[in-house]
Amino acid sequence: AMAAGLTTLDVLSSTADWQRLEELGRTLEALLKPILAEAPFPVRLVRAGSLFWLSFHEGEAPRQAATLSPSAIARFAALFHAMLARGVYLPPSAYEVCFLSASFGEKDLQYFAGALKESLGVASNPP
């Protein structure tokens, strides 16, 4: 596993994939910003390059470990299932991060944004 990770880093550093991943992250952030601003409950995008996280915490996203409220956990569970029904597999825990792939294109990001917009409405009233 360590050798595979090192090989991946070697390949990424010798290509323009790092830059592409940053561009994908910036594009996704631009697509999601207006959607999340209109969400019916607190949710924020936290992003570093191609790694991102949907924070369900009240106020600003935490900078250290913080517990989610029971309502935030229920909203994430509803969002997870709504996104899955739309063909998007998020990590199954509200504490886990998402990763973009260099194989993603603009259409993939737009699809994700559209699925998230629809799913946020579903997640606002969890079962």
Side-chain angles (χ1 to χ4, degrees):
M2 181 68 105
L6 290 172
T7 300
T8 299
L9 291 174
D10 286 341
V11 169
L12 285 172
S13 66
S14 66
T15 66
D17 283 342
W18 285 114
Q19 183 178 358
R20 170 134 173 78
L21 288 170
E22 173 58 33
E23 290 170 8
L24 287 169
R26 250 193 328 267
T27 299
L28 183 66
E29 186 172 9
L31 287 168
L32 297 188
K33 188 174 183 178
I35 293 168
L36 296 177
E38 295 180 6
F41 53 85
V43 59
R44 286 167 183 71
L45 180 75
V46 180
R47 181 185 74 85
S50 61
L51 178 130
F52 67 97
W53 176 54
L54 296 172
S55 171
F56 282 72
H57 294 84
E58 297 283 342
E60 292 300 312
R63 299 181 74 68
Q64 60 189 27
T67 303
L68 285 163
S69 68
S71 62
I73 291 171
R75 285 181 180 137
F76 179 81
L79 178 71
F80 172 84
H81 289 288
M83 291 290 281
L84 192 58
R86 289 160 177 79
V88 178
Y89 183 69
L90 295 175
S93 168
Y95 294 100
E96 294 181 67
V97 298
C98 303
F99 300 87
L100 293 172
S101 166
S103 67
F104 291 164
E106 179 101 15
K107 283 185 177 182
D108 298 310
L109 300 182
Q110 289 172 352
Y111 184 86
F112 180 90
L116 184 63
K117 185 174 185 173
E118 291 175 7
S119 298
L120 286 170
V122 173
S124 66
N125 296 306

